Amino acid sequence: MSQLHATGTGTERDEHPGRNEPKRILVVEDDPDISRLLDIHLRDCAFEVDVANNGIEGLERACAHDYRLVVLDLMLPGLDGLEVCRRLREHRPDLPVLMLTAKSSELDRVLGLELGADDYLTKPFSILELQARVKAILRRVERATRASALDVERIEFDELAIDIAGRGVWREGMPVELTAREFDLLLYFARHPGRVLSRAQLLDRVWGYGHDGYEHTVNSHINRLRKKIEPDPAKPRFVETVWGVGYRFRES
């Protein structure tokens, strides 16, 4: 395969992005063959694509422009994908991240999810699965945005408060910093108190797809969520485990 790759033409961050403008995706990948493959097939889905070939450039672009999604490779020169994800979560907690990892790096995948990646794909991956994952993430974000525009509800459970319209969470009056996926997961739980939800149901309702074998993604996000909202994560008061079935949000 030739060594061509897309460089992108990132412009200054839009002040007022229009709803009908094409969705812009940033690909951070140093392998020119893979980056070109991603560029071609994401454009086939009517996305605009910019490509950065190292972690430093990728982080700068992601913080400076209005991207809908970042496709982030784990192994990068300059800054690796885990560090890019960590820093990105500090500056753009609402920007979805799809991480690309090697098939054998289970620990790195878990670390990526712990740092706030919304989803991951292992190399080699199928183009159809890549496109499906990207579309599922963006559908989830768009649904959440529409709901926030219409919903002024505030949900409170003892010391935990959720502002749906403002997408804010407080525990004992102190703000809790959640990623976009963590907020959507908490909100889905809070809207269905007392209902036992399986991992497959949560994948379908919160992530937007239901594939066998990805249940550990749910587990990882729930562990992160508990660390942020539970007074004692080892003895959760809000998100309870129903052994052999799934999880349940406590009833007020």
Side-chain angles (χ1 to χ4, degrees), residues 45-61:
C45 296
F47 298 119
E48 288 188 353
V49 181
D50 289 348
V51 176
N53 57 22
N54 64 73
I56 295 174
E57 180 190 2
L59 180 62
E60 290 175 350
R61 281 176 174 260

Side-chain angles (χ1 to χ4, degrees), residues 69-126:
L69 173 72
V70 175
V71 179
L72 177 64
D73 187 33
L74 184 67
M75 302 300 294
L76 292 167
L79 291 175
D80 65 31
L82 293 177
E83 182 62 16
V84 172
C85 188
R86 185 187 70 79
R87 296 190 190 185
L88 190 56
R89 280 293 162 255
E90 293 176 356
H91 298 284
R92 296 287 307 278
D94 59 332
L95 179 60
V97 174
L98 174 62
M99 184 167 282
L100 304 179
T101 73
K103 189 173 184 179
S104 60
S105 57
E106 178 69 24
L107 176 60
D108 287 334
R109 292 199 296 272
V110 172
L111 287 173
L113 293 173
E114 290 292 330
L115 289 171
D118 293 81
D119 202 355
Y120 71 86
L121 273 176
T122 56
K123 298 177 181 179
F125 50 83
S126 85

Side-chain angles (χ1 to χ4, degrees), residues 19-30:
R19 285 189 178 184
N20 296 324
E21 291 181 0
K23 298 180 180 69
R24 298 179 66 194
I25 292 178
L26 174 64
V27 171
V28 188
E29 168 64 66
D30 65 317

Side-chain angles (χ1 to χ4, degrees), residues 170-222:
W170 291 264
R171 183 166 68 87
E172 296 182 342
M174 299 298 293
V176 179
E177 294 295 330
L178 300 182
T179 66
R181 181 58 56 82
E182 290 165 356
F183 181 87
D184 291 339
L185 180 61
L186 174 61
L187 181 58
Y188 192 80
F189 272 126
R191 280 176 161 164
H192 302 86
R195 178 178 171 183
V196 178
L197 299 164
S198 70
R199 294 169 181 82
Q201 286 176 313
L202 291 169
L203 276 171
D204 183 60
R205 308 294 169 78
V206 179
W207 274 257
Y209 57 83
H211 297 308
D212 293 336
Y214 294 100
E215 285 80 4
H216 55 284
T217 299
V218 177
N219 298 346
S220 179
H221 277 76
I222 286 177

